[in-house]
Amino acid sequence: MPARTILVINCGSSSIKFALVAAQPGPFILSGLAERLGSTTAVLHWQQDGQQHSEALHGGDHRAALAALLPKVQAASAGSLLGIGHRVVHGGEHFTQACRLDAEVIASIRAIAPLAPLHNPASLQGIEAALAVYPQLPQVAVFDTAFHQTLPEHAYRYALPESLYREHGVRRYGFHGTSHRYVSQQAAQLAGLAVDGSSWLVAHLGNGCSTCAVVNGQSRDTSMGLTPLEGLVMGTRSGDVDPNLHGHLSRTLGWSLARIDAMLNQESGLLGLSGLSNDMRTLEQARADGHSGATLAIEVFCYRLAKSLAAMACALPQLDGLIFTGGIGEHSPLIRATTVAHLKLLGLALDETANQRTRGGASGPIHAPGSPRVLVVPTNEERQIALDTLTLLSA
Ligand code: ADP
């Protein structure tokens, strides 16, 4: 049986993703998803020892889902469960690292909620449910933004009136910090370099996408900003657009703010460009079949990604390597090759055989001889959250 385990929880407004993670590296002991919480079709899915299981929750909410999960976690951990690590999207400027949850920390997460109106209230729902169901267990919040609190002011300030920053917190925060931190540490290990003294470009490409410049194990710049909409083309998010777009659509089409927000967050990105799908697998297949929208969506995605990586290079003293991660970064040789083809000025080139071979959870180098490193590194945010939680609880 594992010596020390942590339950990692990631709450959405109607879902909870979870994983029971052991301190030593290896597959999750138990993992799964509770979804459609609060509806009559609420259900808990989990997998353990290679077996899939499901249990109806009959209209259950977050608390009911965690109560149903508790006996399974206790049985699977056999007394080794040390605590719970919660993923929290926004820690504002207040949280520069993971933090043990108490009334004060919960109040601070609540105070930051206006910056992440969709995400932080969902996390709080999960935290409060977990504290009610597991009162005896210490609990820790791990923030997506915390890793980026090392950004220098010239990277995090917008060119806006200062009062918006000082009085209302309008600045660039960045997200996906847990992933950028995890894969840049793994990359240093793979390359045989010390984290201190190494410099990386990271492309995290999932449904949400962001780039990051990591120097000495610290974030120095990143593509997401005040919200996770800024930067790259994503599954359904537009990434950067002209800031005058809101005014233009309002004046010319009479669109409301809510309509424009929904369009930029849910109807744009790969989905908007292709007119077909937000899923890269579907788009790659459609492109192979000659679909012009899918072809364009992939071209724009890769060109904008390359532009962002080149911009991030401004924050590096030297380039020790480019890291691809996230579902697309880990599995798509096409996206990696098309992106790197735009980065010849950084000296980057791929070994096409290694690029084709490295997919499906594999990690390793895919660059050509003479090129700076290009590495595929599978992300594991749950593991990083578990490690942060363990570190804090062992201190
Ligand atoms: P999330 O951000 O929700 O965690 P993931 O990191 O799982 O998402 O990434 C989801 C994306 O990865 C989707 O666009 C999906 O199509 C893409 N993806 C997964 N497998 C492949 C593959 N074999 N080839 C291309 N894209 C893939």
Side-chain angles (χ1 to χ4, degrees):
M1 251 312 120
R4 293 176 306 162
T5 55
I6 297 292
L7 176 62
V8 175
I9 293 181
N10 181 357
C11 270
S13 57
S14 65
S15 70
I16 304 176
K17 283 191 203 156
F18 53 86
L20 182 62
V21 185
Q24 64 271 31
F28 300 146
I29 302 162
L30 176 153
S31 63
L33 169 73
E35 58 181 346
R36 301 194 294 272
L37 297 176
S39 83
T40 50
T41 56
V43 61
L44 175 68
H45 303 288
W46 74 101
Q47 90 179 40
Q48 192 177 1
D49 299 326
Q51 306 275 334
Q52 304 281 351
H53 310 268
S54 291
E55 186 177 305
L57 293 169
H58 306 295
D61 58 4
H62 286 71
R63 197 182 279 211
L66 291 176
L69 181 60
L70 179 61
K72 302 168 199 0
V73 167
Q74 276 170 337
S77 63
S80 67
L81 185 61
L82 275 192
I84 299 183
H86 292 268
R87 177 185 181 214
V88 180
V89 167
H90 217 309
E93 288 189 324
H94 190 84
F95 294 105
T96 57
Q97 56 189 20
C99 208
R100 182 127 174 206
L101 279 160
D102 58 24
E104 206 177 307
V105 169
I106 291 174
S108 299
I109 297 173
R110 186 162 287 119
I112 294 160
L115 289 172
L118 295 179
H119 292 107
N120 276 25
S123 299
L124 282 168
Q125 226 176 330
I127 287 168
E128 280 166 352
L131 286 169
V133 176
Y134 311 97
Q136 73 290 1
L137 279 178
Q139 309 204 17
V140 166
V142 179
F143 301 91
D144 266 20
T145 50
F147 181 55
H148 302 299
Q149 281 297 302
T150 48
L151 256 59
E153 191 164 10
H154 63 252
Y156 73 69
R157 285 290 296 275
Y158 290 113
L160 295 171
E162 193 191 9
S163 59
L164 283 177
Y165 168 57
R166 299 264 173 240
E167 291 159 33
H168 304 287
V170 176
R171 54 158 282 181
R172 309 185 63 254
Y173 290 95
F175 300 86
H176 291 146
T178 306
S179 176
H180 289 302
R181 185 156 57 102
Y182 179 80
V183 297
S184 54
Q185 284 171 0
Q186 294 287 313
Q189 225 174 53
L190 262 175
L193 298 174
V195 168
D196 231 4
S198 67
S199 304
W200 303 95
L201 292 176
V202 186
H204 174 107
L205 311 173
N207 282 309
C209 300
S210 68
T211 56
C212 187
V214 182
V215 180
N216 300 331
Q218 296 187 335
S219 174
R220 290 291 164 82
D221 201 354
T222 190
S223 60
M224 284 177 167
L226 175 71
T227 75
L229 183 60
E230 186 175 333
L232 305 179
V233 174
M234 312 184 207
T236 61
R237 284 174 246 167
S238 62
D240 292 341
V241 291
D242 188 321
N244 270 329
L245 182 64
H246 279 76
H248 176 76
L249 294 177
S250 162
R251 276 190 307 276
T252 58
L253 302 177
W255 284 19
S256 67
L257 273 182
R259 171 126 192 236
I260 297 168
D261 272 357
M263 180 275 290
L264 292 173
N265 281 286
Q266 288 140 33
E267 299 159 25
S268 298
L270 293 171
L271 174 65
L273 275 165
S274 68
L276 181 68
S277 172
N278 64 317
D279 191 293
M280 192 56 91
R281 276 165 299 200
T282 308
L283 295 181
E284 287 195 17
Q285 186 55 53
R287 174 183 176 275
D289 297 340
H291 189 286
S292 59
T295 307
L296 177 69
I298 288 174
E299 276 171 10
V300 176
F301 181 91
C302 293
Y303 180 64
R304 289 267 302 270
L305 169 59
K307 257 188 11 176
S308 174
L309 289 166
M312 289 293 138
C314 295
L316 303 186
Q318 83 272 347
L319 178 59
D320 288 315
L322 162 62
I323 305 164
F324 282 102
T325 194
I328 299 171
E330 293 165 30
H331 299 287
S332 175
L334 171 71
I335 298 301
R336 297 188 301 235
T338 313
T339 305
V340 168
H342 291 300
L343 291 168
K344 292 198 183 74
L345 271 179
L346 293 183
L348 292 165
L350 293 189
D351 172 336
E352 205 31 51
T353 311
N355 184 34
Q356 288 297 336
R357 201 177 46 221
T358 311
R359 53 170 101 195
S363 66
I366 58 169
H367 51 280
S371 159
R373 288 176 197 87
V374 182
L375 304 175
V376 177
V377 181
T379 194
N380 193 335
E381 287 163 283
E382 293 83 0
R383 177 149 189 81
Q384 185 66 59
I385 292 171
L387 291 175
D388 288 352
T389 304
L390 268 172
T391 305
L392 207 69
L393 297 183
S394 314

